[in-house]
Amino acid sequence: MNTILKTLFTFLAGAIIGSITALLTAPRSGKDTRKKIVTDINTQKEKLEEAATKKLEEAKEILNKSIETSQEASKKQIDKVAESLKVSDN
Protein backbone atom coordinates (compact mmCIF):
# COMPACT_ATOMS: atom_id res chain seq x y z
CA MET A 1 0.00 0.00 0.00
CA ASN A 2 2.91 2.35 0.69
CA THR A 3 4.06 1.93 -2.90
CA ILE A 4 0.66 3.05 -4.16
CA LEU A 5 0.69 6.12 -1.94
CA LYS A 6 4.25 6.96 -2.95
CA THR A 7 3.34 6.63 -6.63
CA LEU A 8 0.28 8.86 -6.27
CA PHE A 9 2.22 11.43 -4.25
CA THR A 10 5.06 11.48 -6.80
CA PHE A 11 2.58 11.86 -9.64
CA LEU A 12 0.78 14.70 -7.87
CA ALA A 13 4.03 16.47 -6.95
CA GLY A 14 5.25 16.24 -10.54
CA ALA A 15 1.97 17.60 -11.83
CA ILE A 16 2.11 20.56 -9.46
CA ILE A 17 5.74 21.34 -10.24
CA GLY A 18 5.08 21.06 -13.98
CA SER A 19 2.09 23.37 -13.76
CA ILE A 20 3.96 25.98 -11.75
CA THR A 21 6.90 25.88 -14.15
CA ALA A 22 4.58 26.29 -17.12
CA LEU A 23 2.88 29.28 -15.50
CA LEU A 24 6.13 31.01 -14.64
CA THR A 25 7.76 30.53 -18.03
CA ALA A 26 4.84 31.36 -20.33
CA PRO A 27 3.81 35.02 -20.14
CA ARG A 28 0.09 35.52 -20.68
CA SER A 29 -2.58 37.98 -19.69
CA GLY A 30 -4.25 37.41 -16.32
CA LYS A 31 -7.43 36.16 -17.97
CA ASP A 32 -5.54 33.69 -20.17
CA THR A 33 -3.45 32.55 -17.23
CA ARG A 34 -6.57 31.87 -15.14
CA LYS A 35 -8.09 29.85 -17.99
CA LYS A 36 -4.84 27.91 -18.34
CA ILE A 37 -4.76 27.24 -14.59
CA VAL A 38 -8.32 25.89 -14.64
CA THR A 39 -7.58 23.74 -17.69
CA ASP A 40 -4.37 22.38 -16.14
CA ILE A 41 -6.06 21.64 -12.84
CA ASN A 42 -8.89 19.79 -14.58
CA THR A 43 -6.41 17.82 -16.70
CA GLN A 44 -4.35 16.85 -13.67
CA LYS A 45 -7.50 15.99 -11.72
CA GLU A 46 -8.60 13.63 -14.49
CA LYS A 47 -5.17 11.99 -14.63
CA LEU A 48 -5.12 11.58 -10.86
CA GLU A 49 -8.61 10.08 -10.89
CA GLU A 50 -7.57 7.62 -13.60
CA ALA A 51 -4.44 6.63 -11.68
CA ALA A 52 -6.38 6.24 -8.44
CA THR A 53 -9.07 4.18 -10.18
CA LYS A 54 -6.43 1.93 -11.73
CA LYS A 55 -4.72 1.38 -8.36
CA LEU A 56 -8.08 0.72 -6.72
CA GLU A 57 -8.89 -1.93 -9.32
CA GLU A 58 -5.49 -3.54 -8.74
CA ALA A 59 -6.12 -3.55 -5.00
CA LYS A 60 -9.55 -5.11 -5.53
CA GLU A 61 -8.03 -7.87 -7.67
CA ILE A 62 -5.43 -8.63 -5.01
CA LEU A 63 -8.09 -8.66 -2.29
CA ASN A 64 -10.38 -10.93 -4.32
CA LYS A 65 -7.54 -13.40 -4.96
CA SER A 66 -6.69 -13.38 -1.27
CA ILE A 67 -10.32 -14.04 -0.34
CA GLU A 68 -10.57 -16.89 -2.85
CA THR A 69 -7.39 -18.46 -1.51
CA SER A 70 -8.66 -18.17 2.07
CA GLN A 71 -12.01 -19.67 1.12
CA GLU A 72 -10.36 -22.61 -0.60
CA ALA A 73 -8.09 -23.24 2.40
CA SER A 74 -11.05 -22.99 4.79
CA LYS A 75 -13.11 -25.40 2.68
CA LYS A 76 -10.25 -27.91 2.70
CA GLN A 77 -9.99 -27.66 6.49
CA ILE A 78 -13.75 -28.08 6.88
CA ASP A 79 -13.68 -31.11 4.61
CA LYS A 80 -10.84 -32.64 6.66
CA VAL A 81 -12.74 -32.09 9.90
CA ALA A 82 -15.93 -33.50 8.40
CA GLU A 83 -14.04 -36.54 7.14
CA SER A 84 -12.42 -37.13 10.51
CA LEU A 85 -15.83 -36.89 12.19
CA LYS A 86 -17.20 -39.50 9.77
CA VAL A 87 -14.31 -41.83 10.56
CA SER A 88 -14.80 -41.32 14.31
CA ASP A 89 -18.53 -42.12 14.08
CA ASN A 90 -17.87 -45.50 12.49
Side-chain angles (χ1 to χ4, degrees), residues 6-35:
K6 287 178 184 178
T7 302
L8 289 176
F9 178 75
T10 302
F11 176 79
L12 185 59
I16 291 169
I17 292 170
S19 296
I20 291 171
T21 302
L23 289 173
L24 294 176
T25 59
R28 292 183 184 85
S29 70
K31 185 177 179 179
D32 290 340
T33 301
R34 286 188 295 277
K35 285 182 183 178

Side-chain angles (χ1 to χ4, degrees), residues 40-51:
D40 288 348
I41 288 173
N42 287 334
T43 300
Q44 297 304 325
K45 177 185 161 195
E46 290 172 5
K47 288 180 180 179
L48 185 59
E49 286 174 348
E50 288 174 14

